[in-house]
Structure formats: C-alpha cells, structure tokens
Amino acid sequence: MSDPYSNLASEEEAIQARIADAMEARCLDPAQIAIRQEYLGNLELPEGAYAVEFGSGTGHVTRDLITIAGAARALGIEPSPIMVQRAKQNFAAMPEISFETGDAKQTGLADASVDLVLMHTLLCHVPGPQDVIREAFRVLKPGGLLAICDGDYDTATTQIADFDPLDQIVRFMINQNVTNLWIMRQIADMLVSTGFDLDRRRGHGYVAESDATYFLTVIDRGADRMVETGVLFPATGEALKAEASKRVAESKFFGFMSYVSQVAQKPAAE
Ligand SMILES: C[S@@+](CC[C@H](N)C(=O)[O-])C[C@H]1O[C@@H](n2cnc3c(N)ncnc32)[C@H](O)[C@@H]1O
C-alpha cells in the first residue's frame, strides 16, 4: 500500500476523517505541544510577520505560528478538503489564520512574500521532497526562515520486552504510512543544495504519557490494516488492540519516537 498521507484527497472520506482524528489527537498531546514549543518558540521574526504552514492538516500547528512563533498572520495549505474544513471549523474565531486547499510543490504564493515557512511532519509523506523545499525557497523573503520537524521513524517503538508483538504493529504502520523514514537524516544536504543556510538542528524525544491517546490510534489503525491486508485474522487484530488498551489501563504501556527539527534561513539580500 502506498502512504495514504501522500495523496490524502484521493482517499475515501472515512479514511481522511480517521486520519484527521488521529492528527487532532497528536496535535493536542501535551508532549507534542512541548516539542513544537522547543523549536518554534525562539525563532526571530520581524514585526507583523507572515507565516505559512505547508501540509497544515487540522490546523493546530498553523495556529502555533501565531501563538508560539509570534507571527501576525498565518496561512495553512493542505490538499485534503476534509482537513481544510476541519481546520477552518477549529479556528473560525481567529481571523488572523486562514486555510486553503493546495499543494506544497506549487502553492501559488508570490515570490519572496513570506517570513516563515513551516513543515511539520509533511516531508516524510511527499515523494520528491526537494520540490517542496525549492517552493519554500521561492516564496520566502531574503532572510526568511524555514522550520522543518519530522519523525525519525526508525526510532518508533512500543516494545517493552524481547519479541513484544505490539511493536510489530508500529513497524507495520510506519511501513504503510511513511514514504521516507530517513527524511530528517537527509534534510541538511537537501537544504544546502537548494541555497539555504543551516541554523539550529535539535532532537526531541516523544514519550506517550497517561492515556497514550495518539499512540493508541497508531495501534488501532495498524491492527486494522494488518487485518485488511490478511496478515492477521480479525480476532487477533482485536486481541492486540485490547492488549494495548489494557497496558494503558494498567500503566504498562510504553510508546516512544524521536523527532528532529531543523531551522534554515534563506540568505539575506546583499
Ligand atoms: C502527518 S499530516 C501533518 C499535518 C499537520 N502538519 C500536523 O502536524 O498536524 C501530513 C499532512 O501533509 C499533507 N500533505 C501531503 N502531501 C502534501 C503536499 N504535496 N502538499 C501539501 N500538503 C501535503 C497531508 O494531506 C497531511 O494532512
């Protein structure tokens, strides 16, 4: 199966809605908010800055451009109409944020018109990420910033002991839902060859806390997908989902993934 996030608008509405629910759960997880604060909280933006998120999903990270990064106006660009509708509903009360359907490879934004471009867990899903980076370079003003954060997917795990079967579901989900597992290990070279100057690179450990809401969406979707593809019988899928929920209820669940952020700058005009 190809990564459904890479062409979400072409997926059935029920699949888009299930992914939107999972994205929403992840965005609202306090440990995920802390990661976004770590890399967006200390960017130096000019007064009245205009910021754009490429691949804005349900819009919570676009909102961070205002509330954490301190931009005055923000736009989210996203190909899935269901995500855009969800984002518009979520942030209807904030006129300084808008959302549009569109493609990060061809945004239609004017050259040199944006102070900050953000890509939060976008590039791992895009075949040809270099085209997205070139588009960011084109729309950024000289001196403008690009902030990228994505999972370092080979580090994702729910394993609590040798041969733990729950971990296979996480591996399967990544295999089925991520186009490039290694994007954050390859990004620096892509940025430099596009003309960006590299700024801060940081690692952010994500450990699922308390009710592990987002990690449980990973297990549930992964187990269902294993059943759909014939890897598991339905009863086994349900048993593994129940195992995950019971671990959460009995404080035995462990879920971890490392994220990496990279900030880069378009060189200022001479
Ligand atoms: C994992 S979600 C992340 C959404 C949001 N950034 C967040 O963190 O909640 C990746 C998003 O990128 C979008 N996407 C995929 N390919 C895209 C493209 N070529 N241009 C813009 N967005 C794209 C998907 O539709 C999806 O909503």
Side-chain angles (χ1 to χ4, degrees), residues 5-6 8 23 26-27 53 55-57 61 77-80 83 102-104 120-122 125-126:
Y5 291 83
S6 69
L8 202 49
M23 286 305 91
R26 193 182 69 175
C27 284
E53 185 185 7
S56 47
V61 183
I77 296 178
E78 162 62 48
S80 157
M83 292 280 193
D103 183 349
H120 189 88
T121 63
L122 165 69
H125 298 297
V126 181

Side-chain angles (χ1 to χ4, degrees), residues 56-59 62-63 75-77 84 87-88 91 97-101:
S56 47
T58 55
T62 314
R63 190 257 315 267
L75 167 68
I77 296 178
V84 170
K88 284 182 172 172
F91 300 106
I97 312 183
S98 55
F99 297 95
E100 285 174 9
T101 52

Side-chain angles (χ1 to χ4, degrees), residues 142-153:
L145 296 177
L146 171 60
I148 300 174
C149 182
D150 221 312
D152 187 32
Y153 291 92

Side-chain angles (χ1 to χ4, degrees), residues 7-232:
N7 193 359
L8 202 49
S10 70
E11 298 289 339
E12 287 171 21
E13 286 203 1
I15 292 181
Q16 293 186 54
R18 192 175 191 193
I19 289 179
D21 289 343
M23 286 305 91
E24 206 108 60
R26 193 182 69 175
C27 284
L28 297 173
D29 181 329
Q32 290 279 341
I33 295 171
I35 290 173
R36 306 200 302 268
Q37 279 166 339
E38 279 167 20
Y39 80 93
L40 288 174
N42 47 12
L43 300 175
E44 285 180 22
L45 296 183
E47 271 301 300
Y50 178 45
V52 180
E53 185 185 7
F54 290 4
S56 47
T58 55
H60 293 269
V61 183
T62 314
R63 190 257 315 267
D64 294 341
L65 292 170
I66 307 269
T67 56
I68 300 178
R73 288 181 301 131
L75 167 68
I77 296 178
E78 162 62 48
S80 157
I82 295 211
M83 292 280 193
V84 170
Q85 190 187 20
R86 191 80 76 97
K88 284 182 172 172
Q89 276 165 5
N90 282 339
F91 300 106
M94 292 183 72
E96 65 274 42
I97 312 183
S98 55
F99 297 95
E100 285 174 9
T101 52
D103 183 349
K105 291 184 180 176
Q106 259 186 314
T107 59
L109 294 168
D111 289 358
S113 59
V114 178
D115 297 292
L116 168 64
V117 170
L118 171 62
M119 302 171 190
H120 189 88
T121 63
L122 165 69
L123 286 181
C124 69
H125 298 297
V126 181
Q130 193 80 54
D131 295 340
V132 178
I133 292 168
R134 269 195 289 270
E135 179 67 354
F137 192 85
R138 182 186 72 75
V139 305
L140 278 169
K141 296 176 185 170
L145 296 177
L146 171 60
I148 300 174
C149 182
D150 221 312
D152 187 32
Y153 291 92
D154 201 44
T155 62
T157 185
T158 53
Q159 188 155 351
I160 58 170
D162 289 345
F163 311 112
D164 182 346
L166 218 51
D167 205 49
Q168 289 303 309
I169 298 183
V170 174
R171 305 243 137 240
F172 186 78
M173 266 301 270
I174 288 170
N175 174 272
Q176 299 269 303
N177 284 273
V178 178
T179 297
N180 184 348
L181 275 67
W182 312 106
I183 188 68
M184 291 314 292
R185 302 189 192 191
Q186 299 168 352
I187 198 73
D189 171 43
M190 287 187 203
L191 292 169
V192 169
S193 61
T194 307
F196 281 101
D197 293 333
L198 296 180
D199 203 321
R200 281 186 304 268
R201 170 158 61 177
R202 287 186 184 162
H204 314 268
Y206 168 61
V207 182
E209 290 181 79
S210 58
D211 56 2
T213 310
Y214 169 62
F215 248 104
L216 286 186
T217 75
V218 174
I219 301 286
D220 281 3
R221 289 179 292 152
D224 288 351
R225 190 74 198 139
M226 280 182 141
V227 171
E228 280 159 26
T229 52
V231 178
L232 294 180

Side-chain angles (χ1 to χ4, degrees), residues 227-269:
V227 171
E228 280 159 26
T229 52
V231 178
L232 294 180
F233 290 114
T236 320
E238 291 307 315
L240 286 168
K241 287 197 245 178
E243 168 73 21
S245 297
K246 199 161 163 44
R247 283 190 195 180
V248 171
E250 299 195 1
S251 306
K252 288 189 168 177
F253 186 84
F254 181 80
F256 175 85
M257 185 165 79
S258 178
Y259 286 74
V260 176
S261 62
Q262 174 76 63
V263 177
Q265 186 167 36
K266 180 170 173 172

